[in-house]
Amino acid sequence: MAFFDEIRDGKAYKYLVNGQWKASGSNNRIKLFSPLYDEHFAEIQSVTRQEIDEVMEAALQAQQKWKDTPLHERAELLHKAAALLVENKDEIVKVLVHEVGKPRKSAEDEVLRSADLINYTAEEGIRIHGELLYSDSFPGNKRNKYALVGRVPLGVVLAIPPFNYPINLAASKVAPALVAGNAVVLKTPTQGAVSALHFVQAFHKAGFPPGLINAVTGKGSEIGDYLVEHPRVSMITFTGSTQTGLNIAKKAGMKPLQLELGGKDASIVFEDADLDEAAKNIVSGAFSFSGQRCTAVKRVLVLDSIADQLRDKIIAEVKKLKVGSPDENADICPLIDKNAADFVEGLIKDAEKKGAKLCTPFKRENNTISPVVVDNVTEEMQLAWEEPFGPVLPLIRVKSVDDAIRIANGSEYGLQAAIFTRDIKKALEISRKIDVGTVQINGKTARGPDHFPFLGTKSSGIGTQGVRYSIEAMTRTKSLVINL
Ligand code: G3P
């Protein structure tokens, strides 16, 4: 039997419960269409609440044994899953290209990067350890108490990755959860589900005990709240929209959360910057995967005196981008669906109506929008504040450094920002004033490498990702006090 045969029956993909791929008893399936050809290429199960209960029960049972499994054995299984992902890369890449329209080269990178992440997590995981505290460090105490402080797993982790990185952002949730001694229930995104189910098969085949990793599919609007509120779930890790993240936070009660949500990452360019390098970084940061990344460069704040120069360099870089099919590795490909393309078009039209200047023409064919650079964007325009998740880059001209900081911080989001300058002192000073999770100096905004901390302030989320940070988020402190 081929590696992925058991996860589907014709076009219908199954869900994974207690080590078995199954069709849902609901007989309801969700049709998936490829953004490339609008072709109905797959169906996923719409699981029922009762099936979710069975999944949760299986996860809990498996976790009870897994928490006592030696760390090095957990790590070995993770290495095996990573190896299986690499072995089966070609088929997974095909699915990523077809299902989410990811350019072939980026799809390959996503699979390999995920294997690296899993291997690194296995290595980091075997070094989970605690500390010993003595009572006499605290005033008025003798050394008659020892606190042995360790880390223990949380239980069942509900992991919800998004459509744009269905493999990598599944890996960044699943691997730390497992190595830390948790079980996982992965709720796949709807579009991106097939890719995520392929990912799960690598874990299933690696030999993790039945029930330790499960995958459920269905509409968030139907099963999302039920999953989030489920009493068996001990922790939720989610990447996606701010609106959904907020809903999860409201429903989650006392469950710990790791939420990675929207962004409106600003690139601030100063007079003393290397403008060629800045333009290259900005264009690659803004337009890779057609702008469908939470860390994409989503606005440029540029000092008036160099704005024309930078704009021309940006346009020259944008002209090099190839518009076309992800199969042929084009840079700009169809957006995930019609709503996404309509939204981007609306933002561009609003800016144009309010006086902004399109430096590259607006062209749309179905859901493919050619890259658009919009100059003279002002604070009255939606494009200055909304996250487009598409191939459009607004340039906002600013009069002073203070103006740039004010506009950067005026966003409801606080994921990342980039500062381009040769003056490191200035960069450090300004980075302190910008309210985001990460400031990049002389480089585009981006999440990786995947062991770096990744977090946002304000509406960009809560909690910190990154291998070690995720392991910490998926464990809690447990203290044992010895009284002598
Ligand atoms: O949109 C998801 C976010 O995590 C982007 O990651 O690696 O493209 O910066 P990256």
Side-chain angles (χ1 to χ4, degrees), residues 113 164-165 169 260 293-295 389 446-448 454:
R113 167 184 181 182
N164 61 344
Y165 285 84
L169 286 171
E260 191 231 317
R293 294 166 50 244
C294 51
T295 47
F389 235 65
R447 177 166 46 107
F454 183 51

Side-chain angles (χ1 to χ4, degrees), residues 113-223:
R113 167 184 181 182
S114 302
D116 289 343
L117 188 160
I118 296 164
N119 283 324
Y120 188 102
T121 307
E123 288 160 22
E124 189 74 22
I126 56 176
R127 292 179 183 89
I128 299 176
H129 40 220
E131 58 186 358
L132 170 63
L133 272 59
Y134 300 112
S135 50
D136 59 334
S137 308
F138 201 85
N141 281 267
K142 289 195 253 148
R143 186 170 287 204
N144 59 351
K145 284 174 192 276
Y146 292 1
L148 298 172
V149 186
R151 297 203 76 82
V152 293
L154 298 176
V156 177
V157 169
L158 174 62
I160 315 178
F163 84 84
N164 61 344
Y165 285 84
I167 305 284
N168 183 260
L169 286 171
S172 71
K173 296 169 175 26
V174 169
L178 292 178
V179 84
N182 302 286
V184 174
V185 175
L186 184 88
K187 153 71 177 78
T188 73
T190 301
Q191 197 80 29
V194 175
S195 309
L197 294 175
H198 279 69
F199 164 84
V200 169
Q201 175 69 341
F203 282 74
H204 173 57
K205 287 286 207 188
F208 283 92
L212 200 69
I213 174 160
N214 308 274
V216 296
T217 53
K219 289 230 165 76
S221 54
E222 285 165 19
I223 57 168

Side-chain angles (χ1 to χ4, degrees), residues 205-374:
K205 287 286 207 188
F208 283 92
L212 200 69
I213 174 160
N214 308 274
V216 296
T217 53
K219 289 230 165 76
S221 54
E222 285 165 19
I223 57 168
D225 288 355
Y226 193 71
L227 283 164
V228 166
E229 290 175 335
H230 203 286
R232 293 290 189 225
V233 169
S234 308
M235 188 263 178
I236 302 164
T237 171
F238 166 81
T239 304
S241 73
T242 293
Q243 201 191 352
T244 307
L246 202 54
N247 186 50
I248 290 175
K250 284 182 185 154
K251 296 270 156 58
M254 308 269 270
K255 292 170 181 140
L257 297 175
Q258 195 182 42
L259 303 176
E260 191 231 317
L261 311 174
K264 187 70 182 170
D265 294 2
S267 282
I268 308 177
V269 187
F270 294 107
E271 289 100 335
D272 62 349
D274 178 334
L275 293 188
D276 291 309
E277 273 306 303
K280 277 189 193 132
N281 271 280
I282 286 168
V283 170
S284 118
F287 294 103
S288 62
F289 194 25
S290 311
Q292 298 176 109
R293 294 166 50 244
C294 51
T295 47
V297 174
K298 289 178 182 142
R299 51 199 173 135
V300 176
L301 304 175
V302 55
L303 269 290
D304 248 341
S305 55
I306 49 154
D308 288 351
Q309 235 184 316
L310 181 72
R311 178 204 55 208
D312 292 347
K313 289 180 189 293
I314 287 177
I315 294 170
E317 287 300 318
V318 167
K319 286 194 173 144
K320 296 180 192 163
L321 299 175
K322 195 174 141 203
V323 181
S325 155
D327 244 336
E328 287 151 15
N329 218 16
D331 303 291
I332 305 294
C333 302
L335 295 181
I336 195 71
D337 57 27
K338 182 174 177 302
N339 285 345
D342 288 349
F343 183 66
V344 175
E345 179 171 350
L347 293 179
I348 295 169
K349 293 280 150 72
D350 173 75
E352 203 178 12
K353 201 172 70 199
K354 291 177 180 158
K357 186 170 172 286
L358 304 199
C359 307
T360 49
F362 174 76
K363 280 193 236 155
R364 175 173 174 181
E365 203 182 322
N366 298 319
N367 300 333
T368 304
I369 295 180
S370 298
V372 185
V373 178
V374 188

